[in-house]
Amino acid sequence: MIGIQLLCIIFACLALFFTYIAYKRRDFSGKEMILWMMIWVVFLGIAILPETVSPYIQKMGFSRLMDFVVVIAFVVLFALLIHNYLVVKFLQKRIEKLVREEALKNLKQ
Amino acid sequence: MMKTALILPIYNESKYIGNVIQEAKSYVDVVIAVDDGSQDASYEISKKAGALALHHTINLGKSAALKTGVTAALKLGIEIIIFMDSDGQHLPKDLPRFIEPIEKEGYDMIIGARKGGQKMPFLRKWGNKMLEWAAFFLFKCAFNDIQSGYRAFRANVYPQLDWKAESYYADAEMTIRAVKYHLKCKQIFIDTIYYDDFKGMTVVDGLNLLFQIFIWRFIL
């Protein structure tokens, strides 16, 4: 087992643990917990047995698993970037609405 | 006589706001001072000076402060809404020049263009020129000062002017929208006094606005 595999296994185990904690604290719903658990279990599986996915990776045109991981990482990062941008915009609008309503609360017509 | 309201967006303007309100009161029916989360005593001073003072608990920017002011004005049944900066750069004695063309000549919007003479800081003057050219080439908008904060409009055209831009860009968007919706607009030249070169738009804001104008060409 190489160092990067070990790192990935530790990371996946920690992620599984924090997902469970988030569920217990009711930050995640049951559905969210299952979805995240599945993602981390698959990640853990690939980290332990990377050769099992090699045939599929090669079919997709990647010569190495690492290339695939890097591309997926970029896709995920950009998806998160857009998601975060939209969430911030949404929160900004809600805060603005709230503050403006508060300012106008005592205005008599 | 149409019912008029002056809307003053305020952010840390305790030094000037009292005088601005005192002077302006005699020209309009209501002065609506929207304190946009100031850390100084702007809100209390505005109240004392006789304005209808509204308070944002946090700073939302000029665009949101103007919107709050307009919502209040519409609730009060105001027919002519005037925007003016609260840092003392605009002169309240010019207010009748904004109101009369709307009342007597049927204009929808009056834009107060800064004269841009010796008193305007160099960068601001040339920044304004660039924005002016961009607005002209992209929208055939022939106004000299598209992002002037001193302007008046008929309350019933607000749905056409209702801006989406944030911060200082709201003024420019209003001008562009007025042109796009063929509102009857007039430009009048006004005097401005610059007390503080570090307030208002920066060079980066100017470049951002230039970019926004290009974007508006496609989305407005």
Side-chain angles (χ1 to χ4, degrees):
Chain A
M1 189 176 285
I2 55 168
I4 192 155
Q5 266 180 295
L6 198 66
L7 263 178
C8 287
I9 292 165
I10 294 168
F11 179 73
C13 289
L14 279 173
L16 279 167
F17 172 69
F18 284 116
T19 305
Y20 181 68
I21 294 282
Y23 170 68
K24 276 290 177 195
R25 285 180 182 162
R26 293 168 192 267
D27 292 334
F28 278 171
S29 67
K31 271 185 196 166
E32 278 174 314
M33 198 262 294
I34 290 169
L35 178 77
W36 281 107
M37 284 281 189
M38 275 165 61
I39 291 171
W40 295 121
V41 166
V42 170
F43 183 84
L44 188 65
I46 295 173
I48 296 168
L49 302 163
E51 64 280 1
T52 52
V53 286
S54 292
Y56 307 107
I57 300 295
Q58 271 154 11
K59 264 186 196 165
M60 279 190 271
F62 295 99
S63 53
R64 293 179 308 167
L65 176 65
M66 202 57 197
D67 298 341
F68 175 72
V69 171
V70 169
V71 169
I72 291 296
F74 270 104
V75 170
V76 170
L77 276 178
F78 276 105
L80 282 175
L81 188 76
I82 292 168
H83 177 260
N84 287 348
Y85 176 77
L86 291 174
V87 168
V88 169
K89 274 272 162 202
F90 176 68
L91 286 176
Q92 225 174 6
K93 272 189 185 166
R94 282 177 77 170
I95 291 170
E96 185 180 323
K97 191 170 173 257
L98 202 73
V99 171
R100 293 186 52 230
E101 273 173 7
E102 176 72 21
L104 294 162
K105 201 170 63 184
N106 298 322
L107 185 73
K108 292 177 192 103
Q109 288 196 29
Chain B
M1 290 284 276
M2 293 169 88
K3 212 174 164 193
T4 53
L6 172 67
I7 295 171
L8 297 165
I10 307 165
Y11 184 62
N12 293 339
E13 300 292 359
S14 57
K15 210 168 152 189
Y16 307 106
I17 194 64
N19 286 340
V20 172
I21 293 170
Q22 288 291 355
E23 260 187 78
K25 263 188 333 189
S26 52
Y27 298 107
V28 290
D29 296 311
V30 196
V31 177
I32 301 172
V34 187
D35 171 42
D36 192 25
S38 297
Q39 283 108 41
D40 62 7
S42 299
Y43 176 66
E44 289 77 17
I45 294 171
S46 312
K47 238 177 169 179
K48 245 187 215 166
L52 167 62
L54 304 172
H55 177 64
H56 282 175
T57 43
I58 53 168
N59 180 253
L60 293 177
K62 187 183 176 186
S63 167
L66 292 178
K67 269 186 192 269
T68 302
V70 172
T71 310
L74 295 177
K75 276 190 178 178
L76 296 169
I78 298 296
E79 292 162 288
I80 298 176
I81 294 169
I82 307 140
F83 293 152
M84 190 171 105
D85 288 349
S86 50
D87 56 1
Q89 70 161 292
H90 298 140
L91 306 176
K93 70 174 168 64
D94 284 328
L95 281 165
R97 294 175 58 214
F98 283 85
I99 298 166
E100 276 170 25
I102 297 179
E103 270 188 339
K104 295 177 182 164
E105 297 164 46
Y107 282 99
D108 292 316
M109 187 190 235
I110 308 298
I111 299 164
R114 292 165 284 188
K115 280 175 186 163
Q118 291 291 314
K119 290 173 204 161
M120 190 180 270
F122 178 81
L123 264 178
R124 196 167 291 186
K125 188 175 163 182
W126 284 99
N128 279 350
K129 275 256 172 284
M130 221 159 76
L131 296 170
E132 211 181 288
W133 290 331
F136 180 76
F137 285 117
L138 295 170
F139 294 94
K140 296 278 168 274
C141 170
F143 298 113
N144 290 77
D145 191 2
I146 62 160
Q147 82 273 28
S148 167
Y150 204 176
R151 61 182 64 222
F153 60 90
R154 207 180 276 280
N156 61 8
V157 299
Y158 176 61
Q160 279 116 299
L161 296 177
D162 190 9
W163 54 95
K164 306 282 177 287
E166 289 169 11
S167 189
Y168 293 104
Y169 313 140
D171 296 311
E173 189 183 337
M174 269 183 258
T175 310
I176 304 279
R177 281 178 174 271
V179 173
K180 185 180 160 50
Y181 291 108
H182 309 292
L183 299 184
K184 195 178 171 193
C185 298
K186 184 183 180 178
Q187 171 179 275
I188 58 171
F189 284 98
I190 52 162
D191 284 315
T192 39
I193 306 159
Y194 291 97
Y195 290 111
D196 192 345
D197 281 353
F198 298 101
K199 280 198 168 181
M201 283 177 74
T202 61
V203 178
V204 178
D205 290 328
L207 290 172
N208 251 333
L209 179 54
L210 189 65
F211 178 66
Q212 275 278 355
I213 292 172
F214 280 101
I215 300 287
W216 287 333
R217 182 70 189 84
F218 303 102
I219 62 168
L220 278 189

